Amino acid sequence: MIKQNGFKILGTAVPRVDAFDKVTGRARYGADYNLANQLYGQVKYADFPHADIISIDTTEAKKLPGVRAVLTAKDVPGDRTFGAVIINQVVLCSDRVRYYGDAVALVAADTPGIAERAMLLIKIEYKELESVSDPQAALKKSSIKIYPKGNLCIHHKVRKGDLDKGFGESDIILEREYKTQKIEHAYIEPEAVLAEPGEHGGITITGSIQNLYNIRRSVAKVLNMPLNRVRLIQAVLGGSFGGKDETMSALCCRGAFLALATGRPVKMVNSREQSMRESYKRHPYKIRYKIGVTKTGMFKAIESEMYADVGPYASMSPFVTWRSVVHATGPYRFANVKTDVYAVYTNNCYTGAMRGFGSPQVCFAIESLIDELAEKLGMDPYEIRKKNLLKDGSITATGQKLNHKVGVAQALQSVIERSDFQNKWAANRQQDKDSQFKRGIGLSCSYRGISLGAEGTDAAGVIISIQTDGSLIVTTGLVEMGQGAATTISLIVAEELGVTTEKIRFLYADTSVTPDSGPTVASRTTFMAGNAARKGCSELLKRIKPVASELLKCPVKSLKFESNNIINISSRKGTPDKISFAQLAGACFQRGISLYTQGWYKGPHTSWDEHTGKGEAYFTYVYGANLAEVEVDCITGKVRVIDFYSSHDLGRTVNLNGAQGQVYGGVAMGLGYALLESYSETNGRPQLENFDEYLLATICDMPPVDVAFVENPDKLGPFGAKSIGEPACELAAPAIANAVYNATGMRIRELPLTLEQVLLGKNLVRSDERGSAKARSKVS
Ligand code: MOS
């Protein structure tokens, strides 16, 4: 049941429960863990993006004093491969390297310096192979094959209606192609693990790990051990954004090998250069659209073909690209749909989960396309969207009926009104052609399926343990990685039990203690852990309410749990009217009542038919709109984002500071995606290795961000809450690109909007840096 109002603490601005530890330096990140007698591990990386390994000679490295182990693939105790979906990633390469961040050998030594010197003494003889770096070229028959079966990792499709009929009914058909770049997660904390050989021949690994259970499965598989002997403990995470998943599988496996081989703890901490070289990135996409519309601006049909660069390992690509194909039509009504995505192996750095998970790419493309269509029709970008937005009861591209309040029009209305969009948009088109600084305004909308959807089993558990003094311990298999989960889950428990968040100690995940709750991804934590926490609380309340009623001498229905007290709301003078939560906890303990429970929540049904391209893809959706105002310097090409408005229908705000923080961070990442970031490679070789060349948005680039939430409580969500983490990150880039068009009349169909592109309308980045000019030519 959804309480419409009258919350005790939900939705208020409370301090982050982890704030004090973080700002005082007391928080322990992966690299802060040390053990007596520990060794230092190092990875020997590939010398080529694609090559056969002829021989590996570790003799000299082993002779170096202080070196305790040098390991290669033949020392791997179990399977050599792992993977969350398609099992093709290797812990150490044996006969072939497939990208420049592949690992060939490992060293453990007494000091990091000795380990590094030993790396230089490992001699590897290679036969370099031709590499393939363009996904479409990789699909050609003539292409070299990275795997015997060919370079197609996966193809997904969505089908609805009759495309020919839809285009037949259209007055205007527009075809466009967009490109998005590869980007790096750029978490401030590079990857770190400390692996300790444990009792029973097992292993304990503490580190910067986002998805402990996926990674534990990989480690157990390559070590050939049962899951209960592999213990993964989450350190405080200095950012992840989807990034500390498969990269950590590899690092955890390697740390474990070295620890088991030497019988000593092994610490492995990536440098920034190693992290940038090895860790997977956000998929670059090439996206072609064909859209049909009537003269009055009603959408009739849409077709899309997308190519995503997977690199050599599948990682999360099958799921990432599925999310793209499902969301490719944007938050609009189309009766006729055909979308296809091809995920293709190449010899570039592999790609995987990154905040947005296949949506930032399609959101940039579709929202640019809609603006281009509006221009063709002589409509304004707001008007055309309003006519076609999804509404209550609409049928999505995959054939799913939206049985909830669809908040996209409200979100759009909110940014339009706050910014005075239509007046500014029209005025900007009348700017003096010769002025150096031109203003622009642009918008974007999106919808987004929450949680895993038809990707897989969706369930989670939260452990709630009331101590005898009324303080609480809360823990779950889902992780705090900076996104605010610890505070949000604490708030839900606090709301249910009538305590304050200071009473709650949130413990980080530990695979030997917390329940496997699936991965902390897909903006699912508030929804999944929130529902699980509510179930746990309701179980505890069932146990403790009778005791409170006994102590307060009143019926259970007269009890009110609030501000760390239990109040008898029907009390008359002379009877005790209130006891503390601590008193109640103590009394329950004395009566032998268990104050410990796990709430478990299984997500509602979803479905997908890969053959028909139809299904109930997600159990519910969130909606959002962004609006950017920019000032373009027409002499330098510099785009300054000067104002920003954001609105999201997140169902219900649980953690106000946290939700706003997600939007500020999401906009900052989106701004970097729009204007600055690019992880460039030439024939599989990265062209940069650190943040001096990889341009990230900083506080200096950030405009004020005006956030407003729309609340349409969802019948499935905890107190109606849905999600905000990823929705906040997919909308900024198209809003900024559309604003640049409004300012300059120049449509840029490729991210990022570099100075050269903005100035000259084409990408003039050094050809040695970004591939040949031919590969970058655009359809228009
Ligand atoms: Mo995420 S990109 O769903 O970890």
Side-chain angles (χ1 to χ4, degrees), residues 715-748:
K715 63 179 186 295
L716 302 168
F719 300 106
K722 295 195 272 190
S723 68
I724 186 64
E726 292 172 292
C729 192
E730 63 194 10
L731 284 152
I736 292 168
N738 287 337
V740 168
Y741 178 80
N742 180 234
T744 64
M746 202 98 86
R747 175 57 59 183
I748 302 169

Side-chain angles (χ1 to χ4, degrees), residues 210-211 241-243 353-357 448 481 520-523 726:
Q210 179 182 335
N211 290 318
F241 311 110
M354 181 171 175
R355 191 176 182 184
F357 206 78
R448 182 179 184 87
M481 53 181 144
T520 307
V521 298
S523 308
E726 292 172 292

